[in-house]
Amino acid sequence: MTPDPGALLDLAVDVAHEAGRLVRDRRDAVDRITVSATKSTPTDVVTESDTAAEALIRRRLLSARPGDGLLGEEGATVTGGSGVAWVVDPIDGTVNYLYDIPQYAVSIAAQVDGRTVAGVVHNPASGQTWAATRGRGARLDGRLVRESGCDRLDRALVATGFGYDSARRAAQADVLRAVLPRVRDVRRLGAASLDLCGVATGWFDAYYERGLAPWDLAAGALVAEEAGVLVEGLGGAAPGPEIVIAAGPALFPALHDLLASLGASRDG
Ligand code: IPD
């Protein structure tokens, strides 16, 4: 039987709120959060809150729906047999969390046969929750959201992000140097899922980033698409690690062509 995306979303929202409380309570309990491990580079950090939140999310989702698969940023990989797989970032924006900058999120997406059908992005510091099911629009705290409609690159407020690897960051800085004079301004807030939700809500006109993992992207991309945003790679490719470009249809071609001309999907 095909799972109901609305039911998957309800479960994801409940679990994201529960994980968000854990993450926020742990942050409030101490002045400084301890780094428990590093991943790709010494600045790609993991805290005990990331690990504890992922364990909670995994436990709650799979006890409600045994048989589902799950892919989590902190290492959870469960191969399911139900056709539903969850893609989870327990804390997107871990560096913001470390510094107590209120710009991080619990991101949970439900995929059916590899396609995201429901997604939630919850910022436990602000209390805001974006939620979407495919074909039924995107909501921020229950209110429908829509992209800005911006149609001029030189008036566009563009969010972006950087990877953890220093060679990649140098290439990203070169691209940014060429983008900055051509747009209204640039924002780097530090959580890809919230950047995508920001485009969905009209807080930014566009977003691009190279190097995103599935857990950074899955839920936020659905929220953005359901708010009228095109979320793609270069030349109509699917968005992914090479590059993610998100903008409304009136702005997308100009940003896409600029990024393509700058080789933004390559590391220099
Ligand atoms: C990171 C954030 C950041 C983006 C990086 C991501 P993490 O996720 O989303 O904004 O620039 O590419 O890796 O490591 O905080 O979960």
Side-chain angles (χ1 to χ4, degrees):
M1 203 176 76
T2 313
D4 168 26
L8 296 175
L9 182 67
D10 289 346
L11 174 61
V13 169
D14 280 354
V15 174
H17 284 164
E18 198 177 324
R21 279 193 294 277
L22 176 151
V23 162
R24 186 70 226 160
D25 288 350
R26 280 171 167 260
R27 192 67 196 77
D28 287 343
V30 291
D31 285 339
R32 286 188 191 284
I33 285 278
T34 312
V35 172
S36 52
T38 59
K39 294 187 287 189
S40 58
T41 72
T43 52
D44 182 5
V45 298
V46 184
T47 71
E48 283 182 5
S49 304
D50 293 83
T51 321
E54 183 162 299
L56 181 154
I57 294 167
R58 174 187 171 145
R59 194 171 60 246
R60 288 276 282 104
L61 290 175
L62 298 189
S63 65
R65 295 186 46 88
D68 287 359
L70 190 143
L71 174 69
E73 179 178 19
E74 308 312 337
T77 312
V78 179
T79 311
S82 68
V84 175
W86 299 92
V87 183
V88 173
D89 194 339
I91 306 179
D92 180 36
T94 303
V95 173
N96 285 342
Y97 181 72
L98 193 63
Y99 284 78
D100 208 10
I101 298 168
Q103 186 70 11
Y104 50 88
V106 179
S107 172
I108 302 177
Q111 298 187 331
V112 175
D113 300 326
R115 189 162 190 249
T116 304
V117 297
V120 58
V121 176
H122 170 57
N123 178 344
S126 70
Q128 290 166 313
T129 304
W130 286 263
T133 46
R134 193 166 288 284
R136 296 188 206 158
R139 290 183 158 72
L140 164 57
D141 296 334
R143 174 178 61 87
L144 276 172
V145 292
R146 199 74 200 155
E147 58 95 10
S148 69
C150 176
D151 61 358
R152 284 184 58 173
L153 196 55
D154 62 356
R155 295 290 183 278
L157 185 60
V158 180
T160 191
F162 310 120
Y164 291 109
D165 173 73
S166 77
R168 172 158 296 169
R169 293 169 79 87
Q172 288 174 318
D174 288 343
V175 171
L176 183 63
R177 190 183 159 84
V179 168
L180 190 53
R182 293 177 166 85
V183 299
R184 177 190 295 274
D185 207 345
V186 165
R187 297 289 183 270
R188 195 296 194 242
L189 271 68
S193 60
L194 292 173
D195 292 335
L196 286 159
C197 290
V199 182
T201 314
W203 295 348
F204 313 124
D205 301 303
Y207 163 71
Y208 74 91
E209 182 164 351
R210 169 162 168 74
L212 292 189
W215 42 80
D216 299 313
L217 178 63
L222 179 65
V223 169
E225 285 171 356
E226 286 298 318
V229 179
L230 294 178
V231 185
E232 294 179 10
L234 288 182
E242 284 201 333
I243 194 158
V244 175
I245 306 169
L251 184 63
F252 188 93
L255 181 61
H256 169 279
D257 292 354
L258 174 63
L259 293 169
S261 74
L262 297 171
S265 63
R266 297 192 304 266
D267 288 337

